[in-house]
């Protein structure tokens, strides 16, 4: 099929892209504001066309362990949920990282803590990039700011997950999941054959034939062996940090001030940037696309170029810690955020920029 332009929600784009990129299976459980992922897959019935398995599990815990089983056999599998549901998946996510199993996790964030609200939030940043489960591990984390990126990042996440044998996560907020935009859907790729999976995933449990058995586990009873595993993980993470940092810069070349934001807040920040420039305040936008690996070096490079940075998030202040670490005290960094599912207007960001940064520069 050729490229097709359609109008759809971000959640729906995830579902369409999963089928079109050749995913083998989806295991999930409904929760607002991401339920359309599972609902769209059920409506499209890919098991009748591509053979993709779509299963509503009995719980989030069951879903992530089904992902573990599918990933262990080399299959391209995924799950999606929203904040409380992703919290329930954290043990399984740690197991996936420890067993070095590639998979895709989608989190369309809502407000918390606890059940919180069904309204949008970005308060799962710490959980995602600092490790929500136990142990020293990392997730490759992509933060879309448009419906098009919701679609594009499905294939990219699977590509990176298999390249590094590591779970990848698309960390979207409820705004991006629920809003509708035009999106270009890619041609359908056929699912890989069993022979291709065996060739591409020699580590997978695809059935012993002319080789030693493959064992998928995250357990090592000997501490020296567990240390070897962890040292190997850390070396892999350093390689990802060297090669896979992604970000977007808008009007940064002449900027006196930077707004640093991801997801929907970067879109709102772009309008705030335009309003500020109309008032003669030279503002640029720096949008991290990979929340991990974080664009530390590029943010650090602006510490000697701008007078201040405003980090805008739908939370009480989380990504700001990584921005402050990046600039290492060389420039003023302040935070602006709204909580409880309230999405700010661009005017609020401009006012915060003036009050917290410009007046003190």
């Amino acid at each position: 099929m050729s490229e097709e332009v359609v109008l759809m929600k971000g959640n729906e784009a995830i579902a369409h892209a999963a089928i079109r990129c050749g995913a083998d299976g989806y295991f999930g459980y409904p929760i607002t504001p991401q339920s359309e992922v599972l609902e769209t897959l059920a409506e499209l019935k890919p098991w009748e066309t591509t053979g993709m398995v779509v299963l509503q599990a009995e719980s989030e815990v069951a879903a992530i362990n089904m992902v573990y089983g599918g990933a262990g056999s080399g299959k391209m599998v995924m799950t999606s949920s929203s904040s409380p549901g992703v919290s329930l998946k954290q043990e399984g996510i740690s197991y996936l990282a420890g067993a070095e199993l590639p998979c895709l996790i989608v989190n369309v964030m809502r407000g918390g803590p606890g059940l919180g609200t069904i309204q949008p939030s970005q308060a799962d940043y710490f959980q995602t990039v600092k490790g929500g489960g136990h142990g020293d591990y990392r997730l490759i984390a992509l933060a879309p700011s448009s419906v098009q990126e919701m679609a594009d990042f499905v294939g990219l996440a699977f590509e990176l997950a298999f390249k590094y044998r590591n779970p990848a996560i698309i960390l979207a907020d409820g705004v991006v999941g629920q809003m509708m935009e035009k999106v270009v859907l890619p041609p359908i790729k056929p699912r890989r054959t069993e022979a291709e999976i065996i060739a591409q995933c020699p580590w997978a449990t695809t059935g012993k034939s002319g080789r030693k058995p493959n064992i998928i586990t995250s357990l090592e009873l000997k501490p020296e062996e567990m240390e070897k595993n962890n040292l190997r993980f850390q070396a892999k993470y350093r390689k990802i940090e060297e090669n896979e940092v992604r970000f977007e810069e808008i009007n940064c070349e002449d900027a006196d001030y930077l707004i640093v934001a991801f997801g929907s807040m970067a879109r709102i920040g772009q309008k705030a940037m335009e309003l500020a420039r109309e008032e003669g305040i030279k503002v640029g936008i720096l949008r991290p696309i990979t929340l991990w690996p974080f664009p530390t070096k590029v943010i650090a490079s602006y510490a000697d170029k701008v007078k201040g940075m405003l980090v805008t998030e739908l939370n009480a202040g989380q990504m700001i810690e990584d921005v402050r670490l990046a600039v290492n005290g060389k420039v003023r960094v302040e935070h602006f955020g709204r909580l409880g599912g309230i999405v700010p207007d661009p005017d609020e960001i401009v006012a915060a920029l003036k009050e917290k940064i410009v007046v003190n520069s």
Side-chain angles (χ1 to χ4, degrees), residues 32 37 44-45 81 87 90 92 94 106 109-110 125 129-130 143 192 201 223 241 282 303 311 337 344 346:
T32 305
V37 178
L44 294 173
K45 299 180 180 179
S81 192
S87 293
Q90 288 304 316
S94 178
V106 178
M109 293 176 281
R110 61 189 260 180
Y125 180 91
V129 306
K130 306 301 182 185
R192 296 166 301 156
C201 306
E241 287 178 313
K282 293 182 179 179
V311 181

Side-chain angles (χ1 to χ4, degrees), residues 23 34 56 68 89 93 125 145 154 198 215 228 231 253 284 286 295 297 314 318 324 327 341 344 349:
Q34 67 78 51
Q56 178 177 318
Y68 187 104
K89 296 176 189 282
I93 292 171
Y125 180 91
S145 68
V154 172
I198 291 171
I215 299 174
K228 286 181 182 178
L231 290 173
E253 56 281 342
L286 197 149
K297 291 181 180 179
L314 292 176
Q318 297 190 15
R324 283 176 169 160
V327 304
I349 295 175

Side-chain angles (χ1 to χ4, degrees), residues 124-188:
D124 299 356
Y125 180 91
F126 280 160
Q127 180 191 67
T128 302
V129 306
K130 306 301 182 185
H134 58 286
D136 289 309
Y137 75 92
R138 295 285 194 174
L139 299 179
I140 300 168
L142 299 166
S145 68
S146 66
V147 175
Q148 185 64 61
E149 287 188 337
M150 289 283 266
D152 293 344
F153 287 0
V154 172
L156 175 60
F158 273 127
E159 176 189 332
L160 295 173
F162 276 86
K163 181 178 179 180
Y164 295 102
R165 280 189 62 186
N166 201 76
I169 185 168
I170 293 176
L171 189 68
D173 54 71
V175 174
V176 181
Q178 289 293 323
M179 71 182 181
M180 297 186 75
E181 288 184 319
K182 289 191 296 183
V183 57
V184 177
L185 294 175
I188 292 176

Side-chain angles (χ1 to χ4, degrees), residues 163-164 233-244 292:
K163 181 178 179 180
Y164 295 102
F233 298 162
Q234 295 306 314
K236 176 174 68 175
Y237 300 151
R238 287 193 294 271
K239 186 176 180 181
I240 296 171
E241 287 178 313
E242 291 170 5
N243 299 323
E244 306 300 345
W292 192 86

Side-chain angles (χ1 to χ4, degrees), residues 4 48 62 85 111 131 134 152 166 176-177 193 199 222 224 243 249 264 275 300 322 347 360:
E4 182 183 353
E48 295 179 355
H134 58 286
D152 293 344
N166 201 76
V176 181
T193 65
K222 296 181 179 179
E224 59 271 19
N243 299 323
E249 298 164 288
S264 63
L275 295 175
D322 287 330
D347 290 333
N360 294 306

